[in-house]
Amino acid sequence: DIRRLLSADPELRGRVFRLQVSLKVDHAGAIERVVLLQGSGDDDQDEHIRRILLGRTLTPPPAGLREPLYFEVVTDRLEGRG
């Protein structure tokens, strides 16, 4: 889901980066908080990624899953798809 959200953004297409992110997600899957634990090395890009994710909806997490949720996003080249 996260890679899909980032791949859909035209500003990130063709970018190569690695980041670690902590997310607080509500019971319906809406992202309520985004914390970049390890950014991409580009502060503007990191803020752009944070704005892309905040408020978007992921697959709802299973009941009782402890938060925050941690993800590592590694791209070799983000490509948007249709």
Side-chain angles (χ1 to χ4, degrees), residues 1-10 12-13 17 29 31 52-53 56-60 73-75 78-82:
D1 284 352
I2 293 172
R3 186 173 172 96
R4 177 184 48 78
L5 290 172
L6 298 179
S7 294
D9 185 82
L12 295 177
R13 283 196 195 116
F17 59 87
I31 300 172
I52 289 169
L53 296 176
R56 289 309 208 8
T57 302
L58 301 175
T59 302
V73 179
V74 179
T75 69
L78 269 183
E79 296 180 20
R81 292 191 171 90

Side-chain angles (χ1 to χ4, degrees), residues 10-49:
E11 286 186 40
L12 295 177
R13 283 196 195 116
R15 299 280 182 108
V16 176
F17 59 87
R18 175 187 202 124
L19 57 89
Q20 294 176 348
V21 64
S22 164
L23 303 178
K24 179 164 181 2
V25 180
D26 72 12
H27 70 281
I31 300 172
E32 297 179 330
R33 186 177 69 225
V34 178
V35 176
L36 292 177
L37 304 171
Q38 178 184 336
S40 67
D42 179 330
D43 291 341
D44 291 334
Q45 178 174 278
D46 291 347
E47 180 58 24
H48 184 71
I49 290 168

